[in-house]
């Protein structure tokens, strides 16, 4: 890992807008002096984005979204577009998270359309990829990663691919307390790198905690971490910073 490490929190469906702003106040009080030289971001629920934007002003912390719709606008009840996120100051969006794929039927084709829509608005897509336990046990890890990368990035120019961030999150490691080993992560990252036409940051996610974050951050081919559960408390997220 040469450049500034990415440390991204994925809050999933946690925190009201008031709880989110209170988190930032506590977090900045504890870590404001340690933020430099790192790309730190949090993806709260949509409803907390405006209060988070105000709370992080001047700190350099990036605010992202956890999902978006691919269309610019239209009759899509309940959905949010890239331009709406852009208007709030959102700079990155998680796309293809395994929970979106598993519970909301998100396909590689959908993810591909969303990535194009995010890029068109100048929002950095963080493309989440990862195999299930069944995939791994059937020795399908590389095939799954390759499919998710190739179909997720289909039709993009090399320059566009260069604006994407990848996150390797083995599904069996998410929220289970059982992270991948460093070797498993490094192997998957090295493979993902070979599947991509240009150099992009590759983050690791899946049960990253304060006590294993620095090992992942110093691992070869790992450019940052995507943190779920352990990003919800200012103390544990701050310890990683
Ligand atoms: P976890 O979640 O850190 O709680 O395992 C990671 C994620 O889903 O992005």
């Amino acid at each position: 890992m040469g450049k500034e490490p990415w440390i991204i929190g994925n809050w999933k469906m946690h925190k009201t807008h008031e709880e989110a702003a209170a988190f930032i106040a506590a977090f900045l009080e504890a870590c404001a002096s340690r933020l430099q030289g790192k790309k730190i971001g949090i993806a709260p629920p949509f409803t907390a984005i405006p209060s988070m934007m105000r709370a992080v002003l001047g700190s350099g912390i990036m605010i992202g979204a956890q999902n978006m719709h691919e269309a610019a606008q239209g009759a899509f009840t309940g959905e949010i577009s890239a331009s709406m996120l852009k208007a709030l100051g959102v700079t990155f969006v998680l796309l293809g998270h395994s929970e979106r794929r598993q519970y909301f039927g998100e396909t590689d084709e959908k993810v591909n359309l969303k990535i194009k829509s995010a890029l068109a608005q100048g929002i950095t897509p963080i493309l989440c990829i990862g195999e299930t336990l069944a995939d791994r046990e059937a020795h399908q890890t590389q095939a799954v990663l390759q499919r998710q990368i190739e179909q997720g990035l289909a039709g993009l120019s090399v320059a566009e691919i260069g604006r994407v961030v990848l996150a390797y999150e083995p599904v069996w490691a998410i929220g289970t307390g059982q992270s991948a080993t460093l070797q498993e992560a490094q192997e998957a990252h090295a493979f993902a790198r070979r599947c991509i036409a240009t150099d992009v940051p590759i983050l690791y996610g899946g049960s990253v905690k304060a006590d294993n974050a620095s090992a992942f951050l110093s691992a070869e081919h790992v450019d940052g971490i995507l943190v779920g559960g352990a990003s919800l408390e200012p103390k544990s997220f701050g310890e990683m910073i």
Side-chain angles (χ1 to χ4, degrees):
M1 188 188 68
K3 297 169 227 118
E4 296 186 336
W6 293 70
I7 302 175
I8 303 294
N10 170 16
W11 280 1
K12 311 192 179 186
M13 198 169 71
H14 293 285
K15 296 191 193 293
T16 66
H17 71 284
E18 283 165 337
E19 290 164 346
F23 173 104
I24 293 295
F27 178 71
L28 286 178
E29 198 172 305
C31 318
S33 61
R34 283 180 274 146
L35 303 181
Q36 276 217 329
K38 308 170 187 93
K39 289 183 184 294
I40 297 169
I42 296 175
F46 291 127
T47 46
I49 291 175
S51 72
M52 292 280 278
M53 283 295 170
R54 286 190 293 277
V56 300
L57 214 62
S59 70
I61 298 173
M62 307 177 289
I63 300 301
Q66 301 170 16
N67 177 39
M68 48 167 255
H69 193 273
E70 65 275 18
Q73 60 197 21
F76 301 105
T77 300
E79 294 293 321
I80 302 276
S81 73
S83 63
M84 294 170 187
L85 297 175
K86 177 76 178 175
L88 289 177
V90 161
T91 53
F92 71 92
V93 59
L94 307 179
L95 292 175
H97 189 281
S98 66
E99 287 152 17
R100 300 289 322 167
R101 295 179 192 263
Q102 185 181 348
Y103 304 132
F104 302 96
E106 222 162 85
T107 61
D108 291 314
E109 292 72 26
K110 263 272 198 234
V111 173
N112 177 249
L113 294 173
K114 292 183 181 202
I115 289 175
K116 289 173 178 162
S117 174
L119 286 174
Q121 289 294 329
I123 296 176
T124 299
I126 300 186
L127 168 59
C128 302
I129 59 170
E131 81 286 1
T132 62
L133 188 58
D135 295 330
R136 179 162 279 267
E137 286 174 349
H139 306 288
Q140 292 301 307
T141 298
Q142 295 195 344
V144 169
L145 300 183
Q146 183 167 3
R147 188 202 75 224
Q148 291 176 336
I149 291 170
E150 285 179 0
Q151 296 188 10
L153 302 179
L156 298 185
S157 67
V158 173
E160 285 169 329
I161 293 174
R163 291 161 53 205
V164 172
V165 172
L166 214 63
Y168 169 61
E169 297 201 303
V171 179
W172 46 271
I174 295 179
T176 59
Q178 188 205 340
S179 69
T181 64
L182 287 186
Q183 191 183 340
E184 286 165 338
Q186 285 175 174
E187 274 171 20
H189 285 222
F191 176 77
R193 226 180 262 302
R194 290 201 296 278
C195 295
I196 298 195
T198 187
D199 195 29
V200 301
I202 308 182
L203 321 185
Y204 169 78
S207 294
V208 178
K209 311 278 176 215
D211 60 6
N212 62 10
S214 69
F216 280 111
L217 286 169
S218 3
E220 203 186 352
H221 298 297
V222 179
D223 303 295
I225 48 179
L226 178 53
V227 186
S231 70
L232 289 169
E233 292 300 328
K235 187 172 180 297
S236 53
F237 198 51
E239 280 170 9
M240 294 186 209
I241 312 293

